[in-house]
Amino acid sequence: MATGENKLISYDSTGEDDIQFGFHLGCNGVVHILFEPIKKDDQYNPVELLRLISNTNEGAVLVTLFSMKKIQPGTRMLYMKNNIHSNLTDREQHLLIEPVNISYADKQSAFLDVDIEQTTCTGFIEYIEHPVSVVIAGAGNDVQPLVEIAAMLGWLVIVVDGRSHYALPERFPEASKVLCSKPGDILSQIKTDSQTVFLLMSHNYNYDLSFLNQILMQEFEYVGLLGPAQKRDRMLSDLQDQGIQLNEIQLSKIFGPTGLDIGSENSTEIALSIVAEIKAFLSVRSGSPLKLKKEAIHKRAISPAP
């Protein structure tokens, strides 16, 4: 703060002394933290770049440059669907554009070395996904803990129900939107994308079935059905009777009963199991115990090809 310049600080917890005299990070590794001053007159300062990301429903790539030497360029570039916001030179942008495009296409973060300001720096090419949106059909009391847990993760939650005395914003203060709507009118009132998931929890079979019918008319990633497997089979059978035949890809994205098997009994435990399954599904993970993993818990970033 005194110098107004970027500064990289390293915390080393690999030594035995860290247990008694160190920073108690508990990671048994080295952590590098880049401190950056926020200059209001700089349109490319990190806060402004993050503001641009928050105002879109698309993924983005943020480039932060740092070095173990003196030079610390900091957060210098934002890429959003062919739009670039940066104060780097054309030559420096040219060095970064290919790995940025790869990161954007693969939705993966990576590190690479790049020459900036006549110094070899490390570039953190960070893919930032826009938040998950959860559309919940049903505004019963059992939905309340689900909304709270999802909101804690930063997910956007939309609650919809056909009963006006249930679909009330004051019942779901953490929800981004609460709608009172018929099933056939829901999708016209919301925006959906690849990060949108649906949960059918109205406890009204016909309401859930009608909404599922609407969902199937568009691309979707995940639909969770509250209730036993018999309910799922009945719904699929009723859809088939209506002439709606689901393909294998669609069937693979319908989860009924929704949630992981963690022994849930009450509504809060059920909400936890549902959110955990959605997170595992979107992250392409199994949801199995970490102690059974043979490889590293966190995927190691691979530098894009030069």
Side-chain angles (χ1 to χ4, degrees):
M1 292 184 69
T3 64
E5 298 178 352
N6 296 346
K7 188 174 182 61
L8 187 74
I9 304 294
S10 299
Y11 298 95
D12 189 345
S13 64
T14 57
E16 292 294 329
D17 290 342
D18 182 68
I19 299 176
Q20 295 181 2
F21 306 108
F23 297 98
H24 308 290
L25 299 177
C27 64
N28 193 32
V30 180
V31 178
H32 305 294
I33 300 179
L34 179 63
F35 293 87
E36 300 183 67
I38 306 302
K39 301 177 181 178
K40 293 183 179 180
D41 57 346
D42 180 6
Q43 62 177 321
Y44 301 110
N45 76 61
V47 170
E48 289 304 318
L49 295 181
L50 290 172
R51 194 192 311 278
L52 291 173
I53 296 174
S54 68
N55 290 334
T56 182
N57 62 350
E58 300 287 342
V61 175
L62 196 64
V63 179
T64 302
L65 302 167
F66 64 96
S67 169
M68 302 312 296
K69 301 178 182 179
K70 183 176 180 181
I71 179 175
Q72 304 298 340
T75 305
R76 300 288 295 274
M77 179 177 175
L78 171 63
Y79 177 94
M80 296 191 307
K81 203 173 185 179
N82 299 321
N83 291 321
I84 298 177
H85 305 268
S86 173
N87 56 4
L88 294 171
T89 66
D90 291 341
R91 185 192 71 83
E92 292 166 343
Q93 285 190 38
H94 179 73
L95 294 173
L96 290 165
I97 194 61
E98 183 177 354
V100 164
N101 279 326
I102 293 174
S103 175
Y104 186 85
D106 294 344
K107 298 185 177 182
Q108 294 288 337
S109 300
F111 291 91
L112 81 162
D113 293 332
V114 60
D115 292 330
I116 301 293
E117 299 179 12
Q118 300 180 341
T119 302
T120 299
C121 296
T122 299
F124 178 31
I125 315 299
E126 181 184 11
Y127 180 78
I128 301 177
E129 184 67 90
H130 62 285
V132 175
S133 294
V134 186
V135 181
I136 307 174
N141 293 341
D142 57 340
V143 173
Q144 291 174 322
L146 179 59
V147 173
E148 293 175 3
I149 295 175
M152 288 176 64
L153 295 177
W155 296 0
L156 303 179
V157 186
I158 299 172
V159 178
V160 59
D161 200 302
R163 301 167 293 180
S164 59
H165 57 292
Y166 275 83
L168 299 171
E170 53 266 32
R171 283 174 46 79
F172 304 95
E174 294 87 359
S176 58
K177 184 180 292 187
V178 179
L179 300 173
C180 181
S181 176
K182 297 178 180 179
D185 299 330
I186 297 174
L187 294 179
S188 64
Q189 302 178 69
I190 62 176
K191 292 182 179 180
T192 62
D193 52 46
S194 60
Q195 286 288 98
T196 302
V197 300
F198 300 91
L199 292 170
L200 307 184
M201 304 177 58
S202 72
H203 300 282
N204 182 318
Y205 179 83
N206 291 328
Y207 191 96
D208 286 351
L209 179 64
S210 180
F211 188 32
L212 177 59
N213 194 342
Q214 298 297 312
I215 296 170
L216 294 174
M217 295 181 182
Q218 63 170 29
E219 294 290 331
F220 66 93
E221 292 301 314
Y222 175 102
V223 176
L225 310 178
L226 185 68
Q230 292 89 332
K231 176 184 176 181
R232 174 203 63 208
D233 294 341
R234 178 188 172 191
M235 295 180 80
L236 296 178
S237 176
D238 287 347
L239 289 172
Q240 189 172 6
D241 291 342
Q242 298 174 23
I244 302 173
Q245 187 65 45
L246 278 66
N247 58 44
E248 290 299 321
I249 295 178
Q250 289 176 314
L251 288 172
S252 70
K253 296 179 179 180
I254 296 178
F255 291 75
T258 181
L260 298 179
D261 183 9
I262 60 173
S264 302
E265 294 291 342
N266 60 49
S267 59
T268 303
E269 294 170 346
I270 293 172
L272 176 64
S273 75
I274 293 173
V275 170
E277 181 179 69
I278 294 172
K279 173 59 181 173
F281 177 79
L282 294 178
S283 301
V284 194
R285 297 296 180 92
S286 65
S288 60
L290 287 175
K291 74 174 186 178
L292 300 180
K293 280 184 75 74
K294 302 302 181 183
E295 65 274 15
I297 294 175
H298 301 288
K299 183 178 181 181
R300 301 306 188 211
I302 300 175
S303 298

